[in-house]
Amino acid sequence: MDLRFLTAAEGGEEEGGGNFLVPNGTFIFELLAFLVILFILGYFVVPPIQRAMRQRQEMIEKGIEDARQARERAEAAQRAYREELDEARAEGAKIREKARAEADRLAGGKREQAQQVVAGLHEQGEEELHSQRDQAARELRAQVGTLALTLTERILGSTTADDERLRETIDSFLRDLEPEPADESSAAPGSGSL
Amino acid sequence: MRILAAEEIEIGVHPTATFLGLTFNLDTMLATVIAGAVVVGLGLFVRSRVTAGVPNGAQLFMEGVNAQVRRQVEESIGIKTAPFVIPLALTLFLFILAANWLAVFPSEHYVPPPTADVNLTFALALLVIVLVHVTGIRKRGAGTYIKHFAQPYWWLFPLNIIEELAKPVSLALRLFGNIFSGGIIISLIVGLPAYVLWAPTATWKLFDLFIGLIQAFIFALLTVLYFGSATSEEGH
Protein backbone atom coordinates (compact mmCIF):
# COMPACT_ATOMS: atom_id res chain seq x y z
CA MET A 1 0.00 0.00 0.00
CA ASP A 2 1.26 3.37 -0.97
CA LEU A 3 0.09 5.12 2.14
CA ARG A 4 2.14 7.68 3.89
CA PHE A 5 1.85 7.60 7.62
CA LEU A 6 1.49 11.09 8.87
CA THR A 7 0.13 10.83 12.32
CA ALA A 8 -0.48 8.51 15.15
CA ALA A 9 -3.38 8.52 17.54
CA GLU A 10 -2.21 11.52 19.47
CA GLY A 11 -2.03 13.79 16.46
CA GLY A 12 -5.43 12.81 15.11
CA GLU A 13 -7.36 15.60 16.65
CA GLU A 14 -5.35 18.35 15.03
CA GLU A 15 -5.24 16.64 11.60
CA GLY A 16 -8.92 15.83 11.42
CA GLY A 17 -9.89 19.37 12.27
CA GLY A 18 -11.29 18.08 15.58
CA ASN A 19 -14.73 17.11 14.21
CA PHE A 20 -15.19 13.39 13.86
CA LEU A 21 -18.70 13.87 12.45
CA VAL A 22 -17.24 15.05 9.14
CA PRO A 23 -16.37 12.19 6.81
CA ASN A 24 -12.91 12.05 5.28
CA GLY A 25 -11.23 9.84 2.70
CA THR A 26 -12.18 6.74 4.66
CA PHE A 27 -15.68 7.26 3.30
CA ILE A 28 -14.54 6.21 -0.17
CA PHE A 29 -12.78 3.15 1.17
CA GLU A 30 -15.82 2.10 3.17
CA LEU A 31 -18.10 2.56 0.18
CA LEU A 32 -15.85 0.45 -2.05
CA ALA A 33 -15.35 -2.17 0.64
CA PHE A 34 -19.07 -2.53 1.14
CA LEU A 35 -19.68 -2.74 -2.61
CA VAL A 36 -17.13 -5.55 -2.82
CA ILE A 37 -18.79 -7.43 0.03
CA LEU A 38 -22.20 -6.80 -1.51
CA PHE A 39 -20.97 -8.11 -4.85
CA ILE A 40 -19.52 -11.28 -3.35
CA LEU A 41 -22.60 -12.01 -1.28
CA GLY A 42 -25.03 -10.96 -3.97
CA TYR A 43 -23.47 -13.09 -6.68
CA PHE A 44 -21.86 -16.03 -4.90
CA VAL A 45 -23.69 -16.57 -1.64
CA VAL A 46 -27.31 -15.47 -1.76
CA PRO A 47 -28.34 -17.20 -5.02
CA PRO A 48 -27.15 -20.69 -4.02
CA ILE A 49 -28.76 -20.32 -0.61
CA GLN A 50 -32.04 -19.24 -2.15
CA ARG A 51 -31.78 -22.06 -4.65
CA ALA A 52 -31.21 -24.57 -1.86
CA MET A 53 -34.18 -23.20 0.07
CA ARG A 54 -36.38 -23.33 -3.01
CA GLN A 55 -35.29 -26.90 -3.75
CA ARG A 56 -36.00 -27.94 -0.19
CA GLN A 57 -39.37 -26.28 -0.39
CA GLU A 58 -40.13 -28.11 -3.60
CA MET A 59 -38.92 -31.38 -2.10
CA ILE A 60 -41.18 -30.93 0.89
CA GLU A 61 -44.12 -29.94 -1.27
CA LYS A 62 -43.50 -32.92 -3.51
CA GLY A 63 -43.30 -35.18 -0.47
CA ILE A 64 -46.60 -33.84 0.81
CA GLU A 65 -48.17 -34.21 -2.61
CA ASP A 66 -46.88 -37.78 -2.93
CA ALA A 67 -48.18 -38.67 0.48
CA ARG A 68 -51.56 -37.15 -0.38
CA GLN A 69 -51.78 -39.14 -3.59
CA ALA A 70 -50.71 -42.34 -1.86
CA ARG A 71 -53.37 -41.81 0.76
CA GLU A 72 -56.01 -41.19 -1.86
CA ARG A 73 -54.98 -44.32 -3.70
CA ALA A 74 -55.09 -46.36 -0.52
CA GLU A 75 -58.52 -44.98 0.35
CA ALA A 76 -59.82 -45.74 -3.13
CA ALA A 77 -58.46 -49.28 -2.92
CA GLN A 78 -60.03 -49.77 0.46
CA ARG A 79 -63.33 -48.42 -0.80
CA ALA A 80 -63.25 -50.77 -3.78
CA TYR A 81 -62.33 -53.66 -1.51
CA ARG A 82 -65.26 -52.88 0.81
CA GLU A 83 -67.66 -52.63 -2.11
CA GLU A 84 -66.49 -55.92 -3.52
CA LEU A 85 -66.71 -57.52 -0.13
CA ASP A 86 -70.26 -56.28 0.33
CA GLU A 87 -71.18 -57.48 -3.13
CA ALA A 88 -69.64 -60.87 -2.44
CA ARG A 89 -71.50 -61.10 0.84
CA ALA A 90 -74.80 -60.27 -0.82
CA GLU A 91 -74.09 -62.80 -3.56
CA GLY A 92 -73.16 -65.41 -0.98
CA ALA A 93 -76.36 -64.79 0.96
CA LYS A 94 -78.39 -65.11 -2.21
CA ILE A 95 -76.70 -68.39 -3.13
CA ARG A 96 -77.18 -69.73 0.36
CA GLU A 97 -80.84 -68.81 0.29
CA LYS A 98 -81.30 -70.50 -3.02
CA ALA A 99 -79.46 -73.59 -1.85
CA ARG A 100 -81.58 -73.79 1.25
CA ALA A 101 -84.77 -73.53 -0.78
CA GLU A 102 -83.50 -76.21 -3.16
CA ALA A 103 -82.55 -78.41 -0.24
CA ASP A 104 -85.96 -77.92 1.32
CA ARG A 105 -87.61 -78.77 -1.94
CA LEU A 106 -85.49 -81.89 -2.46
CA ALA A 107 -85.88 -83.01 1.13
CA GLY A 108 -89.63 -82.54 0.93
CA GLY A 109 -89.79 -84.73 -2.21
CA LYS A 110 -87.61 -87.42 -0.70
CA ARG A 111 -89.62 -87.52 2.47
CA GLU A 112 -92.80 -87.95 0.58
CA GLN A 113 -91.25 -90.65 -1.53
CA ALA A 114 -89.90 -92.39 1.53
CA GLN A 115 -93.25 -92.14 3.23
CA GLN A 116 -94.85 -93.68 0.18
CA VAL A 117 -92.31 -96.47 0.17
CA VAL A 118 -92.78 -97.00 3.88
CA ALA A 119 -96.53 -97.00 3.46
CA GLY A 120 -96.23 -99.44 0.58
CA LEU A 121 -94.00 -101.74 2.60
CA HIS A 122 -96.32 -101.46 5.55
CA GLU A 123 -99.30 -102.35 3.47
CA GLN A 124 -97.51 -105.21 1.79
CA GLY A 125 -96.30 -106.54 5.13
CA GLU A 126 -99.78 -106.38 6.54
CA GLU A 127 -101.21 -108.15 3.56
CA GLU A 128 -98.63 -110.88 3.83
CA LEU A 129 -99.28 -111.17 7.52
CA HIS A 130 -102.93 -111.34 6.91
CA SER A 131 -102.70 -114.08 4.30
CA GLN A 132 -100.26 -116.07 6.41
CA ARG A 133 -102.57 -115.85 9.36
CA ASP A 134 -105.45 -116.92 7.26
CA GLN A 135 -103.52 -119.82 5.92
CA ALA A 136 -102.38 -120.83 9.41
CA ALA A 137 -105.93 -120.60 10.64
CA ARG A 138 -107.14 -122.70 7.78
CA GLU A 139 -104.57 -125.39 8.38
CA LEU A 140 -105.21 -125.36 12.05
CA ARG A 141 -108.89 -125.62 11.56
CA ALA A 142 -108.46 -128.60 9.21
CA GLN A 143 -106.11 -130.29 11.61
CA VAL A 144 -108.38 -129.60 14.59
CA GLY A 145 -111.25 -131.25 12.69
CA THR A 146 -109.16 -134.32 11.80
CA LEU A 147 -107.68 -134.48 15.28
CA ALA A 148 -111.08 -134.34 16.89
CA LEU A 149 -112.31 -137.11 14.59
CA THR A 150 -109.31 -139.31 15.24
CA LEU A 151 -109.68 -138.67 18.94
CA THR A 152 -113.31 -139.65 18.86
CA GLU A 153 -112.54 -142.87 16.96
CA ARG A 154 -109.87 -143.83 19.43
CA ILE A 155 -112.14 -143.20 22.39
CA LEU A 156 -115.13 -144.93 20.88
CA GLY A 157 -112.91 -147.75 19.50
CA SER A 158 -114.67 -148.05 16.19
CA THR A 159 -115.49 -146.18 13.11
CA THR A 160 -118.72 -144.51 13.54
CA ALA A 161 -121.37 -145.32 11.04
CA ASP A 162 -122.30 -141.80 10.61
CA ASP A 163 -118.82 -140.54 9.85
CA GLU A 164 -120.06 -137.84 7.58
CA ARG A 165 -122.45 -136.52 10.15
CA LEU A 166 -119.79 -136.29 12.84
CA ARG A 167 -117.48 -134.42 10.60
CA GLU A 168 -120.32 -132.05 9.85
CA THR A 169 -120.90 -131.47 13.54
CA ILE A 170 -117.26 -130.70 14.21
CA ASP A 171 -117.03 -128.37 11.33
CA SER A 172 -120.09 -126.46 12.40
CA PHE A 173 -118.69 -126.19 15.91
CA LEU A 174 -115.51 -124.79 14.55
CA ARG A 175 -117.45 -122.44 12.34
CA ASP A 176 -119.21 -121.12 15.38
CA LEU A 177 -115.87 -120.26 16.88
CA GLU A 178 -115.04 -118.09 13.87
CA PRO A 179 -116.16 -114.49 14.41
CA GLU A 180 -116.61 -113.71 10.73
CA PRO A 181 -118.61 -115.66 8.30
CA ALA A 182 -116.17 -114.72 5.53
CA ASP A 183 -113.69 -117.24 6.92
CA GLU A 184 -116.07 -120.07 6.39
CA SER A 185 -115.48 -120.20 2.67
CA SER A 186 -111.75 -120.19 3.20
CA ALA A 187 -112.01 -122.89 5.92
CA ALA A 188 -114.13 -125.17 3.82
CA PRO A 189 -111.54 -126.21 1.28
CA GLY A 190 -109.07 -126.93 4.11
CA SER A 191 -111.45 -129.24 5.86
CA GLY A 192 -112.61 -130.58 2.54
CA SER A 193 -109.14 -131.69 1.68
CA LEU A 194 -108.91 -133.80 4.70
CA MET B 1 -3.37 -7.59 29.33
CA ARG B 2 -2.72 -3.95 29.75
CA ILE B 3 -5.50 -2.08 31.46
CA LEU B 4 -6.16 1.17 29.73
CA ALA B 5 -6.56 4.24 31.81
CA ALA B 6 -9.44 6.52 30.89
CA GLU B 7 -7.26 9.32 29.66
CA GLU B 8 -5.54 7.01 27.21
CA ILE B 9 -8.69 6.53 25.18
CA GLU B 10 -9.54 9.50 23.07
CA ILE B 11 -13.00 9.61 21.66
CA GLY B 12 -13.29 9.83 17.91
CA VAL B 13 -9.58 9.95 17.35
CA HIS B 14 -8.09 7.64 14.77
CA PRO B 15 -4.61 6.85 13.55
CA THR B 16 -4.68 8.30 10.08
CA ALA B 17 -2.79 8.29 6.81
CA THR B 18 -3.02 10.70 3.89
CA PHE B 19 -3.26 9.54 0.33
CA LEU B 20 -3.96 11.75 -2.68
CA GLY B 21 -4.75 14.57 -0.33
CA LEU B 22 -7.38 12.54 1.51
CA THR B 23 -7.19 11.46 5.11
CA PHE B 24 -7.83 7.80 5.91
CA ASN B 25 -8.67 6.36 9.33
CA LEU B 26 -6.44 3.32 9.47
CA ASP B 27 -8.11 1.58 12.40
CA THR B 28 -11.55 1.90 10.83
CA MET B 29 -10.25 0.51 7.57
CA LEU B 30 -8.59 -2.43 9.32
CA ALA B 31 -11.74 -3.17 11.29
CA THR B 32 -13.82 -2.93 8.10
CA VAL B 33 -11.57 -5.45 6.42
CA ILE B 34 -11.89 -7.80 9.39
CA ALA B 35 -15.67 -7.48 9.57
CA GLY B 36 -15.90 -7.85 5.81
CA ALA B 37 -13.65 -10.91 5.90
CA VAL B 38 -15.86 -12.49 8.55
CA VAL B 39 -19.00 -11.91 6.49
CA VAL B 40 -17.45 -12.98 3.20
CA GLY B 41 -15.79 -15.97 4.87
CA LEU B 42 -19.06 -17.07 6.40
CA GLY B 43 -20.81 -16.58 3.09
CA LEU B 44 -18.28 -18.55 1.11
CA PHE B 45 -18.19 -21.27 3.76
CA VAL B 46 -21.94 -21.66 3.49
CA ARG B 47 -21.73 -21.61 -0.29
CA SER B 48 -19.14 -24.38 -0.30
CA ARG B 49 -21.41 -26.68 1.69
CA VAL B 50 -24.78 -25.47 0.61
CA THR B 51 -27.32 -28.26 0.43
CA ALA B 52 -31.01 -28.63 -0.18
CA GLY B 53 -30.99 -31.39 2.40
CA VAL B 54 -30.22 -30.85 6.06
CA PRO B 55 -28.32 -27.57 6.38
CA ASN B 56 -25.43 -27.03 8.80
CA GLY B 57 -25.52 -24.33 11.45
CA ALA B 58 -23.99 -21.60 9.28
CA GLN B 59 -26.35 -22.32 6.41
CA LEU B 60 -29.26 -22.38 8.81
CA PHE B 61 -28.24 -18.95 10.08
CA MET B 62 -27.90 -17.56 6.56
CA GLU B 63 -31.19 -19.12 5.54
CA GLY B 64 -32.89 -17.66 8.57
CA VAL B 65 -31.59 -14.16 7.79
CA ASN B 66 -32.48 -14.64 4.14
CA ALA B 67 -35.99 -15.76 4.96
CA GLN B 68 -36.52 -12.81 7.32
CA VAL B 69 -35.27 -10.29 4.78
CA ARG B 70 -37.28 -11.93 2.04
CA ARG B 71 -40.46 -11.75 4.06
CA GLN B 72 -39.82 -8.14 4.92
CA VAL B 73 -39.15 -7.26 1.27
CA GLU B 74 -42.22 -9.16 0.16
CA GLU B 75 -44.41 -7.33 2.65
CA SER B 76 -43.21 -3.80 1.97
CA ILE B 77 -42.12 -3.83 -1.67
CA GLY B 78 -42.95 -7.10 -3.35
CA ILE B 79 -40.12 -9.37 -4.42
CA LYS B 80 -40.81 -8.84 -8.11
CA THR B 81 -40.57 -5.06 -7.83
CA ALA B 82 -37.07 -4.98 -6.38
CA PRO B 83 -35.45 -8.42 -6.05
CA PHE B 84 -32.00 -6.92 -5.57
CA VAL B 85 -33.09 -5.47 -2.22
CA ILE B 86 -32.79 -8.92 -0.69
CA PRO B 87 -29.02 -9.34 -1.12
CA LEU B 88 -28.54 -5.66 -0.28
CA ALA B 89 -30.47 -5.79 2.98
CA LEU B 90 -28.95 -9.17 3.84
CA THR B 91 -25.41 -7.91 3.28
CA LEU B 92 -26.12 -4.74 5.22
CA PHE B 93 -27.43 -6.71 8.14
CA LEU B 94 -24.58 -9.22 8.23
CA PHE B 95 -21.85 -6.67 7.65
CA ILE B 96 -23.16 -4.18 10.21
CA LEU B 97 -23.67 -7.03 12.68
CA ALA B 98 -20.11 -8.25 12.25
CA ALA B 99 -18.81 -4.68 12.49
CA ASN B 100 -20.84 -3.94 15.61
CA TRP B 101 -19.77 -7.12 17.34
CA LEU B 102 -16.13 -6.22 16.97
CA ALA B 103 -16.87 -4.02 19.98
CA VAL B 104 -17.01 -7.15 22.12
CA PHE B 105 -13.28 -7.77 21.81
CA PRO B 106 -11.06 -5.76 24.11
CA SER B 107 -9.35 -4.15 21.17
CA GLU B 108 -10.97 -0.74 21.08
CA HIS B 109 -7.64 0.91 20.69
CA TYR B 110 -6.61 -0.93 17.55
CA VAL B 111 -9.69 -2.37 16.01
CA PRO B 112 -12.69 -0.29 17.07
CA PRO B 113 -16.05 -1.26 15.60
CA PRO B 114 -16.00 0.47 12.19
CA THR B 115 -19.62 1.44 12.63
CA ALA B 116 -18.41 3.82 15.34
CA ASP B 117 -16.94 5.88 12.52
CA VAL B 118 -19.26 8.11 10.50
CA ASN B 119 -17.27 7.32 7.37
CA LEU B 120 -18.74 3.83 7.29
CA THR B 121 -22.26 4.75 8.32
CA PHE B 122 -22.49 7.66 5.90
CA ALA B 123 -21.11 5.53 3.10
CA LEU B 124 -23.75 2.85 3.69
CA ALA B 125 -26.58 5.34 4.17
CA LEU B 126 -25.63 7.27 1.04
CA LEU B 127 -25.45 4.09 -1.01
CA VAL B 128 -28.84 3.00 0.24
CA ILE B 129 -30.54 6.33 -0.35
CA VAL B 130 -29.09 6.72 -3.83
CA LEU B 131 -30.29 3.23 -4.75
CA VAL B 132 -33.68 4.01 -3.26
CA HIS B 133 -34.13 7.11 -5.40
CA VAL B 134 -32.77 5.45 -8.51
CA THR B 135 -35.19 2.57 -8.02
CA GLY B 136 -38.07 4.97 -7.41
CA ILE B 137 -37.33 6.93 -10.59
CA ARG B 138 -36.93 3.76 -12.62
CA LYS B 139 -40.14 2.29 -11.32
CA ARG B 140 -42.34 5.35 -11.70
CA GLY B 141 -40.53 7.66 -14.11
CA ALA B 142 -38.59 10.76 -13.15
CA GLY B 143 -41.51 13.18 -13.48
CA THR B 144 -43.95 11.15 -11.45
CA TYR B 145 -41.32 10.39 -8.87
CA ILE B 146 -40.40 14.03 -8.33
CA LYS B 147 -44.04 15.09 -8.35
CA HIS B 148 -44.84 12.66 -5.57
CA PHE B 149 -42.79 14.85 -3.24
CA ALA B 150 -45.44 17.54 -3.75
CA GLN B 151 -48.16 15.33 -2.37
CA PRO B 152 -50.63 15.47 -0.85
CA TYR B 153 -50.26 19.29 -1.12
CA TRP B 154 -47.81 21.26 -3.25
CA TRP B 155 -46.66 23.37 -0.32
CA LEU B 156 -45.44 20.24 1.45
CA PHE B 157 -42.72 19.91 -1.17
CA PRO B 158 -39.95 21.49 0.95
CA LEU B 159 -40.91 19.39 3.95
CA ASN B 160 -40.82 16.24 1.90
CA ILE B 161 -37.43 17.16 0.55
CA ILE B 162 -36.14 17.75 4.05
CA GLU B 163 -37.54 14.38 5.05
CA GLU B 164 -35.74 12.73 2.16
CA LEU B 165 -32.50 14.44 3.16
CA ALA B 166 -33.01 13.45 6.76
CA LYS B 167 -33.38 9.80 5.86
CA PRO B 168 -29.74 9.04 5.04
CA VAL B 169 -28.49 11.34 7.77
CA SER B 170 -30.65 9.73 10.45
CA LEU B 171 -29.87 6.27 9.10
CA ALA B 172 -26.14 6.96 9.35
CA LEU B 173 -26.09 8.84 12.63
CA ARG B 174 -28.39 6.40 14.45
CA LEU B 175 -26.01 3.55 13.79
CA PHE B 176 -22.94 5.64 14.46
CA GLY B 177 -24.32 7.11 17.67
CA ASN B 178 -25.34 3.79 19.16
CA ILE B 179 -22.06 2.06 18.53
CA PHE B 180 -19.92 5.08 19.25
CA SER B 181 -21.62 5.61 22.58
CA GLY B 182 -20.83 2.01 23.43
CA GLY B 183 -17.17 2.91 23.11
CA ILE B 184 -17.67 5.94 25.32
CA ILE B 185 -19.30 3.82 28.01
CA ILE B 186 -16.36 1.41 27.90
CA SER B 187 -13.93 4.28 28.22
CA LEU B 188 -15.85 5.46 31.28
CA ILE B 189 -15.95 2.00 32.78
CA VAL B 190 -12.22 1.50 32.49
CA GLY B 191 -11.86 4.51 34.75
CA LEU B 192 -13.09 2.33 37.60
CA PRO B 193 -10.68 0.52 39.92
CA ALA B 194 -9.34 -2.67 38.40
CA TYR B 195 -10.92 -5.02 40.98
CA VAL B 196 -14.52 -4.01 40.09
CA LEU B 197 -13.82 -3.32 36.47
CA TRP B 198 -14.77 -6.75 35.16
CA ALA B 199 -18.39 -6.73 36.30
CA PRO B 200 -19.63 -3.59 34.48
CA THR B 201 -17.40 -4.39 31.52
CA ALA B 202 -18.87 -7.86 31.07
CA THR B 203 -22.38 -6.56 31.58
CA TRP B 204 -21.94 -3.72 29.16
CA LYS B 205 -20.36 -5.88 26.50
CA LEU B 206 -23.27 -8.27 26.66
CA PHE B 207 -25.59 -5.32 26.29
CA ASP B 208 -23.41 -4.07 23.46
CA LEU B 209 -24.01 -7.35 21.63
CA PHE B 210 -27.71 -6.73 21.92
CA ILE B 211 -27.38 -3.12 20.71
CA GLY B 212 -25.23 -4.25 17.82
CA LEU B 213 -27.86 -6.80 16.76
CA ILE B 214 -30.72 -4.35 17.08
CA GLN B 215 -28.92 -1.63 15.14
CA ALA B 216 -27.97 -3.98 12.33
CA PHE B 217 -31.57 -5.12 12.16
CA ILE B 218 -32.92 -1.55 12.18
CA PHE B 219 -30.56 -0.45 9.43
CA ALA B 220 -31.55 -3.33 7.18
CA LEU B 221 -35.24 -2.93 8.01
CA LEU B 222 -35.26 0.80 7.29
CA THR B 223 -33.48 0.15 4.03
CA VAL B 224 -36.28 -2.17 2.98
CA LEU B 225 -38.92 0.28 4.14
CA TYR B 226 -37.33 3.19 2.25
CA PHE B 227 -37.35 1.10 -0.87
CA GLY B 228 -40.96 0.31 -0.17
CA SER B 229 -42.02 3.94 0.15
CA ALA B 230 -40.09 4.92 -2.95
CA THR B 231 -41.66 2.25 -5.14
CA SER B 232 -45.20 2.28 -3.77
CA GLU B 233 -47.83 3.85 -6.01
CA GLU B 234 -49.75 5.68 -3.34
CA GLY B 235 -46.84 7.92 -2.39
CA HIS B 236 -46.19 8.98 1.17
Side-chain angles (χ1 to χ4, degrees), chain A residues 2-9 12-13 20-21 23-31 33-35 37-38 40-42 44-46 48-50 52-53 55-56 59, chain B residues 12-13 16-19 22-26 28-29 32 36 43 47 50-53 59 62-63 66 86 88 90-92 95 118-120 122-124 126-127 176:
Chain A
D2 189 20
L3 291 174
R4 284 185 297 127
F5 272 76
L6 282 189
T7 54
E13 215 160 70
F20 52 79
L21 286 177
N24 57 19
T26 320
F27 178 89
I28 298 164
F29 174 83
E30 298 295 341
L31 193 59
F34 181 75
L35 286 175
I37 298 166
L38 178 61
I40 295 173
L41 260 64
F44 297 110
V45 179
V46 174
I49 289 175
Q50 289 185 340
M53 289 171 80
Q55 278 172 1
R56 191 179 309 130
M59 255 158 56
Chain B
V13 173
T16 57
T18 305
F19 179 67
L22 293 169
T23 310
F24 291 90
N25 299 341
L26 297 175
T28 304
M29 286 162 64
T32 302
R47 177 195 157 84
V50 73
T51 169
Q59 188 185 337
M62 291 291 259
E63 281 184 10
N66 187 68
I86 294 178
L88 175 66
L90 182 129
T91 309
L92 279 171
F95 176 60
V118 286
N119 286 296
L120 171 63
F122 273 131
L124 297 186
L126 194 75
L127 176 70
F176 163 74

Side-chain angles (χ1 to χ4, degrees), chain A residues 56-104:
Chain A
R56 191 179 309 130
Q57 184 88 15
E58 281 164 7
M59 255 158 56
I60 291 168
E61 277 170 5
K62 191 175 168 296
I64 291 172
E65 178 63 19
D66 285 354
R68 195 181 62 76
Q69 281 179 359
R71 205 186 53 225
E72 276 178 6
R73 272 200 302 274
E75 278 173 0
Q78 200 175 11
R79 220 170 16 246
Y81 164 75
R82 284 228 182 92
E83 276 169 15
E84 273 176 27
L85 197 66
D86 286 350
E87 226 167 87
R89 278 207 186 114
E91 188 76 12
K94 218 185 285 173
I95 290 170
R96 206 159 48 230
E97 199 61 37
K98 214 163 118 189
R100 191 175 294 144
E102 180 74 15
D104 283 353

Side-chain angles (χ1 to χ4, degrees), chain B residues 2-67:
Chain B
R2 189 166 66 101
I3 292 174
L4 299 169
E7 52 269 27
E8 281 183 62
I9 296 175
E10 300 197 49
I11 307 300
V13 173
H14 302 278
T16 57
T18 305
F19 179 67
L20 297 175
L22 293 169
T23 310
F24 291 90
N25 299 341
L26 297 175
D27 53 355
T28 304
M29 286 162 64
L30 176 63
T32 302
V33 170
I34 292 173
V38 168
V39 172
V40 169
L42 177 73
L44 294 181
F45 172 75
V46 169
R47 177 195 157 84
S48 71
R49 307 198 175 184
V50 73
T51 169
V54 181
N56 59 24
Q59 188 185 337
L60 204 60
F61 171 71
M62 291 291 259
E63 281 184 10
V65 175
N66 187 68

